[in-house]
Amino acid sequence: MSLLGRDFHSSLDDGSKSLLERNSNVTAENVHPAEEASGLSRMQTLIHLLKCNIGTGLLGLPLAMKNAGLLVGPISLLGIGVLTVHCMVILLNCAHHLSQRWQKTFVNYGEAMMYSLETCPNAWLRTHSVWGRYTVSFLLITTQLGFCSVYFMFMADNLQQMVEEAHMTSNNCQPRKFLVLAPILDIRFYMLTILPFLMLLVFIQNLKLLSIFSSLANITTLGSMALIFEYIVQEIPDPSNLPLMASWKTFLLFFGTAIFTFEGVGMVLPLKNQMRDPQQFPFVLYLGMSLVITLYICLGTLGYMKFGSSTQASITLNLPNCWYAHPCLPGGRRGGRTSRSSCSTPLASSSPTPSSSTSRPTSSSPSPSPRCQRGGRCL
């Protein structure tokens, strides 16, 4: 069954027409066409498109490359990205075709499915076309709920790390002389802290107003990506020992991560419907998705080349656990989260022989107690 299939029927029967009339004013996504003067500009649409595609899945791409291989990973990610854009274009063409056929200003996801079933040759599908609309709406709600849940957990976990590890991290990647007992709060406390701010954002349904927050989010993301790239592009080890193709069992994990990363398909039709000039949306789509796919491939490939077999689930776990990177490991390599013990000796001494006044902690340093241990780290 194709949304752009042939015109099997020149007119619908009375039952089908009445069904369409009853549902023509109901939308599943509550997205209304914007007025000509207050629609989204191309830049605002591009900002929204980048924001809804660049999410937490980006941080897991280095591990996805590890699961696929240094050669197979980038090629497969490029193929998935091209296929995703192709499906988005098909969706836009289908919505445009159906809106012209039924003489509607725009159609949303549920209406596109319902009207498509109305034009198919199967009588049973035409009779039950409204269930296609309900199914699409249910799937959209389920996927968006999953994405938002991951965002919620990600923000709470990072906020918890910032609050608790600030007591133990110094400016030069060296452990503090005096240990500070920091209160260990449950992650649900941090989730409850950010909940009011998220609730306020949910009440904003105007995409033009939301473009302000999307711009701030994109600026923050751009700064974070700049810091990550600044670290991973330095002193990349020889990638010749990395496998070009991983096992097919781990490739399934790569496929799941890659599919999760491209999470912006649910915003394609709403963005086009609220554009000031919807005919320019394909250009914005191609430009935005080209930037997104390029960022995905670069971060995933360089991250895997940098950390190799020690690549963790999120690239943030491989980054230095201090305010700025410090060349404290042998050979000038910078210390990461898992190499805190390698930075325990100050590097101020230029003598090759250890000095009694440099490497040993003072007697005033309290010994770590079991109560201040959390995951092997003393807070």
Side-chain angles (χ1 to χ4, degrees):
M1 180 180 58
S2 174
L3 297 178
L4 292 176
R6 295 180 179 178
D7 188 1
F8 293 102
H9 302 276
S10 59
S11 62
L12 298 176
D13 52 15
D14 295 338
S16 300
K17 289 183 179 179
S18 61
L19 178 62
L20 292 176
E21 292 174 357
R22 290 195 303 268
N23 295 279
S24 60
N25 296 326
V26 183
T27 58
E29 290 85 4
N30 292 326
V31 178
H32 305 281
E35 297 294 335
E36 184 70 20
S38 59
L40 295 175
S41 64
R42 285 186 296 180
M43 180 57 65
Q44 291 173 333
T45 306
L46 179 62
I47 290 173
H48 280 303
L49 186 65
L50 294 176
K51 179 62 192 73
C52 64
N53 279 279
I54 301 177
T56 56
L58 176 68
L59 302 176
L61 286 178
L63 181 63
M65 294 296 180
K66 175 184 175 183
N67 294 327
L70 188 59
L71 177 62
V72 177
I75 296 177
S76 301
L77 188 60
L78 177 62
I80 294 176
V82 172
L83 182 61
T84 301
V85 177
H86 177 66
C87 293
M88 290 180 177
V89 173
I90 292 179
L91 177 63
L92 293 174
N93 293 335
C94 293
H96 179 70
H97 172 80
L98 292 171
S99 62
Q100 287 186 336
R101 177 169 183 151
W102 300 108
Q103 298 181 356
K104 294 178 68 67
T105 306
F106 78 101
V107 292
N108 54 39
Y109 292 95
E111 290 175 339
M113 184 64 181
M114 184 181 66
Y115 295 155
S116 300
L117 294 178
E118 286 289 346
T119 61
C120 71
N122 191 295
W124 187 89
L125 291 178
R126 292 199 306 269
T127 306
H128 299 82
S129 60
V130 67
W131 288 103
R133 177 182 192 169
Y134 296 151
T135 303
V136 170
S137 299
F138 173 77
L139 294 177
L140 278 175
I141 293 174
T142 303
T143 54
Q144 296 303 315
L145 181 62
F147 293 145
C148 293
S149 299
V150 173
Y151 271 109
F152 202 49
M153 290 292 298
F154 179 79
M155 289 186 294
D157 182 67
N158 280 268
L159 182 61
Q160 183 185 40
Q161 292 184 25
M162 290 175 57
V163 172
E164 295 182 355
E165 295 186 3
H167 298 278
M168 59 178 292
T169 306
S170 60
N171 291 337
N172 57 358
C173 289
Q174 305 294 334
R176 294 182 181 273
K177 291 184 178 182
F178 297 95
L179 300 178
V180 179
L181 294 179
I184 300 178
L185 301 177
D186 191 90
I187 191 174
R188 288 173 291 187
F189 171 81
Y190 296 96
M191 296 174 64
L192 186 62
T193 303
I194 62 178
L195 179 60
F197 302 98
L198 296 181
M199 292 180 62
L200 293 177
L201 286 176
V202 169
F203 285 112
I204 303 177
Q205 299 183 2
N206 190 335
L207 289 180
K208 191 169 185 179
L209 179 59
L210 276 176
S211 63
I212 301 176
F213 299 96
S214 296
S215 301
L216 296 177
N218 286 333
I219 293 175
T220 305
T221 302
L222 180 62
S224 302
M225 290 297 102
L227 293 177
I228 292 177
F229 275 108
E230 188 274 337
Y231 179 75
I232 63 178
V233 297
Q234 299 184 17
E235 303 173 2
I236 297 179
D238 185 11
S240 59
N241 58 341
L242 299 177
L244 299 179
M245 181 176 63
S247 172
W248 66 271
K249 297 180 180 179
T250 57
F251 182 78
L252 298 179
L253 298 175
F254 160 82
F255 188 77
T257 305
I259 293 298
F260 171 76
T261 305
F262 291 97
E263 56 187 69
V265 65
M267 287 294 295
V268 173
L269 287 184
L271 288 177
K272 179 188 176 182
N273 294 335
Q274 293 206 6
M275 273 196 72
R276 189 177 307 161
D277 188 3
Q279 288 74 21
Q280 296 183 355
F281 183 75
F283 168 76
V284 177
L285 179 65
Y286 285 123
L287 176 60
M289 293 306 298
S290 299
L291 296 176
V292 169
I293 295 174
T294 303
L295 177 63
Y296 285 175
I297 295 177
C298 292
L299 181 63
T301 305
L302 292 177
Y304 177 45
M305 293 173 60
K306 174 68 175 182
F307 303 111
S309 59
S310 62
T311 304
Q312 301 191 41
S314 176
I315 193 174
T316 56
L317 299 176
N318 290 106
L319 297 179
N321 198 20
C322 52
W323 298 122
Y324 68 90
H326 188 77
C328 54
L329 289 182
R333 296 179 58 189
R334 300 187 179 190
R337 269 183 198 276
T338 58
S339 59
R340 184 187 308 280
S341 60
S342 302
C343 304
S344 59
T345 304
L347 301 178
S349 175
S350 59
S351 174
T353 59
S355 174
S356 59
S357 60
T358 57
S359 62
R360 297 181 182 275
T362 60
S363 58
S364 59
S365 301
S367 59
S369 64
R371 292 185 300 175
C372 70
Q373 296 289 336
R374 179 177 180 269
R377 296 174 297 179
C378 186
L379 302 181

